[in-house]
Amino acid sequence: MINWTSWLDYGFMRSALLAILIITPLFGLLGTMIVNKKMAYFSDALGHSALTGIAVGVVFGVSDTNLSMVIFAVIFALLLNWIGSKSTASTDTIISVFSSCSVAIGLAILSRGGNFSKYSGLLVGDVLSITNREIIYLLVIFAVTILFWLVCFNWLNAICIHRALAKSKRIPVRLMDNIFAVLVALIVMLSIKWVGILIINALLILPAASSRNISVNMREYHLFSVIFSLFSGVLGLILSYYTNVATGPMIVIIASVIYFCTYIFGRRCKN
Amino acid sequence: MKKKYLFVFVMLLVVTFAGMGLTSLYVQRTGGQEKEEKISIVTSFYPMYIAALNVVGDTDTVKLTNLSEPQTGCLHDFQLTPEDMKLLSTADVFVINGGGIEAFMEEVAASYPSLQIVEACEGIALLQEEDEENAHAWMSVADYEKQVENIAKGLAEADPAHEKQYQSNAKDYCGRLEDLKERQQAVFAAARGQNVILFHEAYAYVAEDYGLSVSYVMDLDEERQVSAGEVSEVLSAVKKDHVKYILAEKRYGKSMGDTIEKESDARVIYLDPLNRGDYEKDSYLDGMSENIRLLEQDFGA
């Protein structure tokens, strides 16, 4: 029989658990607003920009690519917001253009001399990359996000429901949009090394989408989203340990199962 | 309302138990039969496993495991999974090639300071390549022989009780490698000094064994995209140095090789880089002997 606690004997699994306990509630929380604001594609593009961030770091010889990744993603997010508000083309077109362009630049630089394989770990994520320093970053961003949510959630929600009305009520629409985008950028960048570029977006979207299937008000929406996110994170980590599978994909598989269950349940209820 | 919370609770419970159930099934099917062994040796990848397998021979107090899959090939882009870390945490000796092929070694050494590491490339003069070391030393029979000796020495230090067995196994194995080296001599005499192009950095050791002079190296490895500029560089190198032969690996070099054969008079010889295969004891000997045969055929030795 399997010893279901043996995974706790290893330091790297304990750090991974800690990181998941801090980060998954944030995914759940921010996810609710991303789904509401129809920004799924935006966060996806952000995830992909990690490649470029690393490439920029490599070019400038930055030793800690975390730093260049975060800075690049923040600039990228702000730029997307800005262009999105100026341009007449639809947002998904603009995001697509920026996303492809940044991925292409990242791939071009990182594949110089046929060396891309060194970075392919980024695509699926590596749970061993969680170090104490990363956990400290995560704690800081956790505190900032919770604070932001407590203070500004009503404004964000108002903007989301009716932008023009919110503006007329003197809510700083542009500022809120930017702060939100920066927060998403920070969280995505700090977790991308262990979740993986290909699936990080699923972690932001799936818990919130599942929760939306069954909730009737904001409170439920948040509650279920955070619960689903935490649950898939912890269970995914444990199962990935015993089955020898990369952790990020395992978490996403569980989150997807939850999504399908809630989808069926939600439809039943409505009928 | 109540129904919904009940649903969520039940759903999460079911997912948990289903996940755990499937996992235990999987774990039981894949590896429940672990027994207590006296000494556990882990090798990093295929050539090291085959070398260690021959050194260990039928010593029955040893458990020999390979960290990567037999088809993984070189470990350039290898990611350690939690399962790998677990395996290393129970190992006594870790046999690696060294020279930078195991890029994850820093991590391993930091996590398991007491793990004994046997570096097969120790004391071997590795070929240099721009600013990096080329560590594919097993492609040279002479260097591989030294690797086998290093492994035998390392294992003897870690497990002194079986020192004699390791040494005599290594001696037998090296004797068979000597036969290969004799066959190499004939090719060496016929091929020496000729210009070749390599499509795999490991073949620099082949060139070294036969005294070939390398005019161009293009490392066609996993996930490598070739640009049109590089194709023309190869072609102009063929022309400039009158290259007659190109050494390539079939798996990654076939399409490139076909292009070059079409565009020039050079012939492509497809050698086995011996970095993947089955867990047969003699697979290195067989593979190398086939490589020598191909070279004999083309160089007319």
Side-chain angles (χ1 to χ4, degrees), chain A residues 2 4 10 12 114 117 121 126-128 214 220 224 227-228 231 235 239 241-244 258 261 265, chain B residues 1 4-5 7-8 11-12 16 19-20 23-24 26-27 77 79-83 85-86 89 107 223-224:
Chain A
I2 307 179
W4 286 106
Y10 298 97
F12 68 92
S117 49
D126 176 8
V127 76
L128 297 175
I214 56 171
E220 270 186 28
F224 285 137
I227 289 178
F228 290 156
F231 174 83
L235 187 64
L239 294 190
Y241 170 81
Y242 288 104
T243 49
N244 191 16
I258 292 178
C261 293
F265 180 83
Chain B
M1 196 55 203
K4 179 156 49 190
Y5 286 95
F7 161 74
V8 169
M11 176 184 69
L12 297 187
T16 311
M20 283 166 73
T23 306
S24 12
Y26 174 80
V27 170
D77 53 350
Q79 290 290 324
L80 285 175
T81 62
E83 184 87 1
M85 291 299 261
K86 225 161 70 189
S89 76
E107 225 171 311
E223 295 162 39
R224 170 81 150 84

Side-chain angles (χ1 to χ4, degrees), chain B residues 35-201:
Chain B
K35 264 192 250 144
E36 277 299 302
E37 304 275 354
K38 279 204 176 131
I39 180 167
S40 161
I41 301 171
V42 176
T43 56
S44 62
F45 74 124
Y46 186 69
M48 295 304 108
Y49 181 84
I50 298 299
L53 189 66
N54 280 287
V55 172
V56 169
D58 47 10
T59 315
D60 51 5
T61 54
V62 169
K63 184 177 140 200
L64 182 65
T65 340
N66 194 14
L67 186 70
S68 51
E69 297 291 320
Q71 293 299 329
T72 303
C74 290
L75 298 178
H76 299 301
D77 53 350
F78 191 71
Q79 290 290 324
L80 285 175
T81 62
E83 184 87 1
D84 296 335
M85 291 299 261
K86 225 161 70 189
L87 175 64
L88 286 175
S89 76
T90 60
D92 300 301
V93 188
F94 187 29
V95 179
I96 62 170
N97 180 69
I101 288 218
E102 291 88 355
F104 50 78
M105 273 317 288
E106 249 174 65
E107 225 171 311
V108 171
S111 308
Y112 307 111
S114 62
L115 180 65
Q116 276 200 40
I117 292 166
V118 177
E119 199 178 322
C121 275
E122 208 181 307
I124 295 177
L126 292 176
L127 297 175
Q128 291 292 323
E129 207 172 280
E130 287 165 31
D131 48 348
E132 274 178 49
E133 272 179 334
N134 178 347
H136 303 81
W138 68 89
M139 281 307 286
S140 152
V141 180
D143 287 340
Y144 181 68
E145 209 179 320
K146 280 184 214 146
Q147 289 193 320
V148 171
E149 278 160 9
N150 277 339
I151 292 173
K153 209 175 98 202
L155 294 188
E157 270 165 29
D159 181 20
H162 296 96
E163 183 176 352
K164 266 195 193 137
Q165 224 160 334
Y166 295 142
Q167 293 295 2
S168 88
N169 286 342
K171 217 174 138 202
D172 290 348
Y173 192 47
C174 287
R176 300 178 68 186
L177 291 171
E178 285 294 329
D179 297 343
L180 288 180
K181 270 164 84 179
E182 260 168 47
R183 279 176 62 198
Q184 282 187 312
Q185 285 309 315
V187 184
F188 178 81
R192 199 163 87 183
Q194 293 205 38
N195 289 328
V196 287
I197 287 177
L198 311 179
F199 283 175
H200 195 304
E201 57 179 343

Side-chain angles (χ1 to χ4, degrees), chain A residues 37 48 50 57 128 134 153 168 173 193 196 211 227 245-246 259 261:
Chain A
K37 284 167 81 103
H48 285 73
L128 297 175
E134 252 117 32
F153 174 73
S168 76
V173 173
K193 280 198 177 157
S211 166
I227 289 178
V245 172
Y259 178 82
C261 293

